[in-house]
Amino acid sequence: FAREARLVAMLSHPAIVPVYETGADGQILFIASAYCNGGTLGQWFRERDRNVDPRLAARIVARLCEAVQHAHVRGVVHRDLKPGNVLLHFDDGDAEQTDESQLVAALRITDFGLARFVAGDQQLTRAGATIGTPAYMSPEQARGAVDEIGAAADIYALGAIFYELLTGQLPIPGESNMATMRAIENQSPISPQRHNAQVPGDLAAICLKCLEKDPRLRYPTCQALADDLNRHLTGRPIVARSIGRTEKLWRWCRRNPTLSLALGALACSLTIGLAVILWQQLQTESLSNELVARNDQIERARIDRDRLSARNHNLIKQYLFVLDDTRLLTGPGKAAAREHLLSVADRYLEEIIEENPQDPESILDRSRTLAGLARLKFTLGETKS
């Protein structure tokens, strides 16, 4: 009790409830501090019938950051920041008639009972002990990692307060204190925009950066957090960035190495199986395409053969007509026409025989054609040809 009074006595900031005196009255210890007439931030929030405007929520948290930064610079870590430990004091005593600026100015952080002086003050805690209020407790606090609990724990708590102001929800709720602490260790909060579509993307990114599982991924100081909030409020680019799905998956794998390894092995097996099935399908399709191509070639060859046979048939008919029509053989002025018909028939018959040298009908037809040419030459007196 006296330790808390000594720690707060080191601090002097408008947003921290000051301590005037500490002492004992018989068996009763007392701390005399400033009186705050507006209740707590938690009470003010619960009395509202709607979510806090995102810009007002940002201003509230920025103001709290300034006070917490003041404590951190002097080596004091609060370790139990929550709406119930933020008092409100209104100079005119009327909380209902205040504007946003008056509300922000009314904020006062109190209850440093769990605070720690960073320069070696360890007597209040032991390894494995949990320190703080579960709903606003950082992961390192939830697992009792005393040596890791520092300024980053307060930044996480400020992120939890910010999340609640933006959405009306706790970042990671649980049915009991133990369930909440386990969830804080293993689960990540969903984006505030999922609860409240009016939350700007910049503020959602700032809030989630405060709630990172790894303290090193949070803002390095409360001042850095306040600066980013003020960048948004003044329309400037913020430092925080939204986390993509790939990075979310990677961080989940780091938190769940055994399960991610098993899922990875299953994914590899499925990938290999699908690759084999795909390869077999491609091979089947390739063979099918090859068979179709071969069938097309055979069909084209058959069509060509049929066309050639038809042409051969027509030529042979012309040839027989020439041979059988004695008028064409002996008529005046017919020699050139007869010779042309027989020469064309001979040329095509020669091509047919080259393609199929074992075809007796084609050989016989060509012999008859050549004989006809010979008779024609003899008749015309061209015996040497």
Side-chain angles (χ1 to χ4, degrees), residues 17-290:
V17 177
V19 169
Y20 299 137
E21 185 181 355
T22 180
D25 183 6
Q27 298 297 318
I28 300 175
L29 299 175
F30 68 86
I31 293 177
S33 62
Y35 170 69
C36 296
N37 58 18
T40 69
L41 179 63
Q43 291 171 339
W44 172 84
F45 178 70
R46 287 191 295 272
E47 289 171 358
R48 299 174 64 86
D49 57 358
R50 56 185 174 84
N51 295 328
V52 178
D53 177 76
R55 289 184 61 83
L56 175 57
R59 293 183 63 187
I60 290 172
V61 175
R63 177 65 169 174
L64 297 178
C65 284
E66 295 172 2
V68 178
Q69 176 69 15
H70 175 83
H72 286 178
V73 168
R74 286 152 184 78
V76 178
V77 179
H78 192 287
R79 301 198 294 183
D80 194 23
L81 291 170
K82 57 185 178 181
N85 281 342
V86 179
L87 300 180
L88 300 175
H89 178 73
F90 301 98
D91 292 336
D92 57 7
D94 188 357
E96 296 296 330
Q97 300 299 320
T98 58
D99 59 21
E100 291 185 3
S101 296
Q102 291 173 319
L103 174 66
V104 172
L107 300 169
R108 304 284 190 276
I109 295 176
T110 188
D111 196 355
F112 283 76
L114 294 181
R116 170 188 171 190
F117 186 58
V118 176
D121 190 357
Q122 297 282 1
Q123 72 267 27
L124 194 65
T125 59
R126 65 181 186 278
T130 55
I131 305 164
T133 303
Y136 306 90
M137 190 180 290
S138 67
E140 57 269 28
Q141 288 175 281
R143 61 175 178 268
V146 176
D147 293 339
E148 300 178 21
I149 302 174
D154 283 351
I155 293 174
Y156 184 97
L158 288 168
I161 294 171
F162 192 23
Y163 193 101
E164 188 173 11
L165 290 173
L166 290 172
T167 67
Q169 308 282 334
L170 293 172
I172 303 179
E175 296 180 355
S176 65
N177 287 344
M178 184 60 67
T180 299
M181 288 189 291
R182 290 186 180 276
I184 288 172
E185 287 189 71
N186 301 307
Q187 298 178 18
S188 295
I190 64 174
S191 172
Q193 293 177 306
R194 298 277 296 275
H195 293 297
N196 181 5
Q198 302 302 316
V199 177
D202 282 357
L203 293 185
I206 291 172
C207 182
L208 292 177
K209 184 174 178 63
C210 297
L211 297 173
E212 288 282 0
K213 299 296 182 189
D214 188 342
R216 296 169 297 182
L217 298 178
R218 301 171 203 154
Y219 286 97
T221 64
C222 285
Q223 187 60 55
L225 169 56
D227 290 343
D228 227 10
L229 289 168
N230 287 322
R231 287 189 191 96
H232 171 78
L233 292 171
T234 55
R236 293 176 292 160
I238 65 169
V239 173
R241 61 181 178 84
S242 299
I243 300 174
R245 293 182 179 180
T246 302
E247 189 170 349
K248 288 180 181 178
L249 177 61
W250 171 247
R251 293 183 183 184
W252 182 88
C253 291
R254 289 179 59 187
R255 294 196 305 271
N256 303 274
T258 302
L259 182 56
S260 61
L261 182 61
L263 291 176
L266 177 60
C268 288
S269 299
L270 291 175
T271 301
I272 293 173
L274 290 174
V276 171
I277 293 172
L278 180 60
W279 180 81
Q280 291 176 342
Q281 184 176 358
L282 291 175
Q283 290 294 103
T284 301
E285 290 181 357
S286 177
L287 180 59
S288 176
N289 291 336
E290 184 177 352

Side-chain angles (χ1 to χ4, degrees), residues 367-379:
S367 299
R368 295 174 64 186
T369 301
L370 291 173
L373 277 170
R375 287 195 302 272
L376 179 61
K377 297 290 185 180
F378 181 79
T379 302

